[in-house]
Amino acid sequence: MQIQDLPYPDPGAPDARSGPRFLWWLFRNQLDGQFKALAWGLLHFLSVSALPFCVGVAVQAVVDRSGSRLALAGGLLALCCAGSALGDTFLHRAAVTNWITAAARVQQVLARKAAHLGSALTRRVAAGEVVAVSTGDVEKIGWFVEALSRFTAAAVTIVVVCVGLVVYQPALGVVVAVGLPVLALAVLPLLPRATRRADVQREKAGRATELASDTVAGLRVLRGIGGEELFLDRYRAASQEVRHAAVRSARMWSLISAIQVLLPGLLLITVVWYGVRLAGAGRVDVGELVAVYSSVMILTYPLRHFEEIAMAYSFSRPSARRAAKVLSLERATDTGGARAGTEPPSGDLYDPATGLLAPAGRLTAVVCGDPDAAGRLAERLGGHPSEKGESVLLGGVPLDEVPLETARTAVLVQDKDPVLLSGTLRDLFDVPRSGDVDPEPALVAAQCQDVLAALVQGSVGAADPMDSRITERGRSLSGGQRQRLALARSLVTDPEVLVLDEPTSAVDSHTEARIAQGVRELRAGRTTVVFTSSPLLLDRADRVVLVHEGEVVAVGVHRELLHSEPRYRAVVTREPDADRDGSEDRARQSPTPGGPGLPAGADAGSGLDDVLKELEEIEESA
């Protein structure tokens, strides 16, 4: 695999049982690139290591006044220099290719897992950790994968040179052959402590990233309540902890580096001292002494790769562990595709767990007193359950038996906090869709006229509103404007079933009334489920369902349920003392004339009349 061939057609199924297993899986999937790097690395290191022998031959040729051997030594030097240059060039090329392709493979499997899990991902893993894995951790994992082949080439070179020295000059070669393994293994006792410090640094960095992500995401709210300084102080403290952990880790690695410099120097002194004594005794020629001395100096270069591989592994191991943690996550129920190859199902949407039924082609509003429970139910209707249970049925077909892509084509869920990606408005609507709904009517139905004007005003040179730019997550827009753009995007997709969770919670009542009418008209003949407690949306629904404590307890239309169901009225009118268990309406029996929460002289019935009156006024104005 070359860089220009990325992305992979299929990155494969990762082994996410542990961090080391994940690293081994990456290595096995890059054997071709690893062998190339190993071959070029051997050429480079062996050419470099052969230079001292050539120098030794040249020195001895000068001592012996042999012109032919001096010419031979010069030719060997030129050949070794050419091999070193060629090997180094293509080793670097192969190593960078291995690094980038390994990182790309990790990013692809992470992106595939994120798409597979959907909203379940951020419920089970912090958003900051996901960001850390997909950015910094990917680079560190790629570093270890590409460093492995260079380390292997360096290790093989050291073994070959040691054997060559023993054969070339046994007396000095044995000293080098014994000393080099000691040098290579001397830092092993320090590696566990260095690894632990690196783990602590990575953990604190992940926490700081998560805190920064949360702070930036909620900066508008924090400014509104005057809490930005508090969170900034928390981030400063977290970043200082990261700095201290990084300094502690760097100290350990500097100690390892110092040992890697000190011990080869001691070995070099030992070789020179012993070699001079042997030369004085006539047991070693001058050229042999120069060759062995130069070899020890040259071997410090491949020895540095032992330090690099140790550092790369210590940094990549926690990164691989975090990546494996994300990749090991599974959906609560897997739409494995028992009905693979079938068309997207259609018909009534039914949830056996709650008894919720959304008839085909109708607008169904769902009222749920618990917003969190409403969010979980909305996700379950879309085939994204947070826990195992009986599958939702669409047209009598369990969504769990439908391939995931098909299920998501049939049912689209828009959650409470939809995300707007940066780019042009045209890019925003470049989503998989049926083609039956154009962006213009969707924008009109979502009441986005003022949003378009604001985007055009903020985009220099954008005459066409579709060419206006949206900033990251739509931060330049208000909450209501982002909400309406997200609703328009959902309407453009035109799925068989559209599930909306509080789609108008951030807009004013008059705009909400027009949105309710626009969605009803644009989605005519399509199944739409809206989770809301807004009377304006509920009043325009064909069918209203009250879900209480995980079960459907009432079904009807909005105005009937207001009169007949106290629990429904408690949620919709926000009556503080209404009995939500339905046993009796305590607000009507309060000793205070108006009951708690109502003005004196008023009662729950008058509050209900006010709601109905307000509905009529908004309908007339809209």
Side-chain angles (χ1 to χ4, degrees):
M1 172 63 71
Q2 298 299 317
I3 296 176
Q4 63 264 25
D5 298 326
L6 295 175
Y8 290 96
D10 179 14
D15 187 348
R17 289 176 290 178
S18 66
R21 288 179 181 270
F22 180 64
L23 292 173
W24 176 244
W25 173 80
L26 280 174
F27 177 80
R28 286 189 291 107
N29 280 271
Q30 284 192 308
L31 286 179
D32 182 58
Q34 296 292 341
F35 281 126
K36 287 181 180 179
L38 176 60
W40 292 117
L42 286 174
L43 175 62
H44 172 61
F45 289 128
L46 290 175
S47 297
V48 171
S49 301
L51 290 174
F53 293 96
C54 299
V55 172
V57 172
V59 170
Q60 192 62 42
V62 172
V63 172
D64 296 339
R65 299 180 181 276
S66 174
S68 60
R69 280 189 293 162
L70 184 61
L72 175 63
L76 291 175
L77 278 172
L79 184 62
C80 289
C81 290
S84 174
L86 184 67
D88 190 26
T89 300
F90 284 94
L91 170 62
H92 180 72
R93 179 185 179 91
V96 170
T97 300
N98 288 337
W99 189 334
I100 294 177
T101 52
R105 189 185 296 273
V106 177
Q107 286 179 326
Q108 280 189 250
V109 294
L110 285 171
R112 185 176 64 184
K113 177 60 69 172
H116 181 72
L117 292 174
S119 59
L121 176 62
T122 51
R123 287 202 308 267
R124 300 166 67 180
V125 180
E129 185 170 353
V130 177
V131 173
V133 170
S134 58
T135 53
D137 286 341
V138 166
E139 294 294 323
K140 293 174 179 61
I141 292 171
W143 176 29
F144 173 75
V145 172
E146 71 89 11
L148 196 56
S149 57
R150 288 190 288 111
F151 162 73
T152 305
V156 171
T157 300
I158 290 174
V159 172
V160 171
V161 171
C162 287
V163 173
L165 285 175
V166 171
V167 174
Y168 178 70
Q169 175 44 251
L172 291 175
V174 170
V175 175
V176 177
V178 172
L180 282 177
V182 174
L183 297 184
L185 302 177
V187 297
L188 285 182
L190 299 176
L191 290 180
R193 183 177 297 180
T195 301
R196 286 194 298 270
R197 292 190 179 185
D199 290 349
V200 172
Q201 178 190 351
R202 293 289 168 239
E203 181 181 354
K204 292 183 179 296
R207 291 177 183 173
T209 302
E210 180 181 349
L211 182 59
S213 177
D214 293 341
T215 302
V216 172
L219 192 57
R220 184 188 296 269
V221 176
L222 292 175
R223 286 175 175 170
I225 63 176
E228 66 270 22
E229 286 300 327
L230 173 63
F231 275 79
L232 287 175
D233 288 341
R234 290 181 181 177
Y235 178 73
R236 290 191 189 99
S239 64
Q240 287 301 311
E241 291 182 5
V242 175
R243 185 179 67 84
H244 290 309
V247 170
R248 282 175 51 83
S249 179
R251 285 173 180 169
M252 184 56 63
W253 287 112
S254 64
L255 176 60
I256 292 175
S257 297
I259 292 175
Q260 290 288 309
V261 173
L262 174 64
L263 293 184
L266 294 177
L267 177 61
L268 188 61
I269 293 172
T270 302
V271 169
V272 172
W273 173 78
Y274 185 53
V276 168
R277 295 191 62 183
L278 292 177
R283 297 173 56 188
V284 175
D285 294 332
V286 175
E288 292 175 337
L289 177 59
V290 171
V292 175
Y293 168 79
S294 302
S295 295
V296 175
M297 291 190 63
I298 291 294
L299 284 178
T300 58
Y301 170 50
L303 273 175
R304 301 295 295 180
H305 289 77
F306 284 76
E307 176 192 349
E308 182 193 13
I309 196 65
M311 183 180 294
Y313 180 71
S314 66
F315 277 86
S316 66
R317 190 171 64 89
S319 297
R321 185 174 62 245
R322 281 196 294 266
K325 176 184 176 182
V326 174
L327 294 172
S328 63
L329 298 176
E330 297 293 341
R331 291 167 51 86
T333 56
D334 189 9
T335 56
R339 298 173 182 260
T342 60
E343 293 293 326
S346 61
D348 296 343
L349 184 67
Y350 177 66
D351 177 29
T354 59
L356 173 62
L357 173 67
R362 306 282 294 278
L363 174 59
T364 302
V366 181
V367 176
C368 187
D370 183 359
D372 293 333
R376 291 192 296 270
L377 177 55
E379 291 176 350
R380 188 162 68 247
L381 292 179
H384 312 289
S386 57
E387 55 189 21
K388 293 185 177 181
E390 197 170 356
S391 174
V392 170
L393 306 177
L394 179 58
V397 178
L399 283 182
D400 286 354
E401 298 181 6
V402 179
L404 186 60
E405 295 78 9
T406 305
R408 288 179 172 174
T409 300
V411 184
L412 173 67
V413 180
Q414 177 182 304
D415 59 19
K416 292 185 180 69
D417 186 23
V419 176
L420 301 181
L421 300 178
S422 59
T424 65
L425 192 59
R426 198 182 309 279
D427 296 333
L428 180 69
F429 291 108
D430 186 15
V431 293
R433 53 197 175 109
S434 65
D436 295 336
V437 178
D438 293 327
E440 185 176 351
L443 289 165
V444 173
Q447 298 298 306
C448 293
Q449 293 86 343
D450 63 316
V451 185
L452 296 180
L455 288 174
V456 171
Q457 185 177 3
S459 301
V460 179
D464 186 350
M466 297 301 291
D467 293 328
S468 56
R469 296 197 62 82
I470 301 173
T471 57
E472 181 187 2
R473 298 180 68 92
R475 298 190 192 282
S476 61
L477 302 173
S478 67
Q481 290 174 328
R482 290 197 300 270
Q483 204 171 53
R484 282 177 281 162
L485 275 182
L487 175 59
R489 179 180 57 187
S490 298
L491 294 175
V492 164
T493 60
D494 190 37
E496 180 68 26
V497 179
L498 177 59
V499 180
L500 304 171
D501 189 4
E502 294 290 352
T504 58
S505 59
V507 301
D508 62 83
S509 57
H510 292 279
T511 304
E512 189 176 26
R514 292 191 291 268
I515 290 175
Q517 187 62 32
V519 171
R520 180 182 176 87
E521 294 174 356
L522 193 63
R523 291 284 300 171
R526 291 289 206 181
T527 307
T528 307
V529 181
V530 182
F531 285 81
T532 183
S533 59
S534 167
L536 295 169
L537 288 175
L538 295 169
D539 195 46
R540 284 166 173 76
D542 299 316
R543 194 167 184 264
V544 179
V545 179
L546 174 64
V547 177
H548 180 70
E549 295 184 353
E551 294 182 356
V552 173
V553 295
V555 179
V557 294
H558 172 59
R559 302 192 184 221
E560 291 178 356
L561 291 176
L562 274 177
H563 289 285
S564 62
E565 179 53 62
R567 289 170 294 188
Y568 179 83
R569 184 167 59 250
V571 177
V572 175
T573 64
R574 279 74 168 178
E575 293 179 10
D577 263 357
D579 186 354
R580 302 201 177 197
D581 292 330
S583 57
E584 60 180 347
D585 192 352
R586 290 194 299 270
R588 296 181 181 274
Q589 298 178 359
S590 173
T592 305
L598 294 174
D603 57 15
S606 65
L608 175 59
D609 293 337
D610 291 340
V611 172
L612 295 175
K613 183 177 179 181
E614 182 181 357
L615 281 173
E616 293 173 356
E617 291 175 351
I618 293 176
E619 288 176 354
E620 292 175 358
S621 63

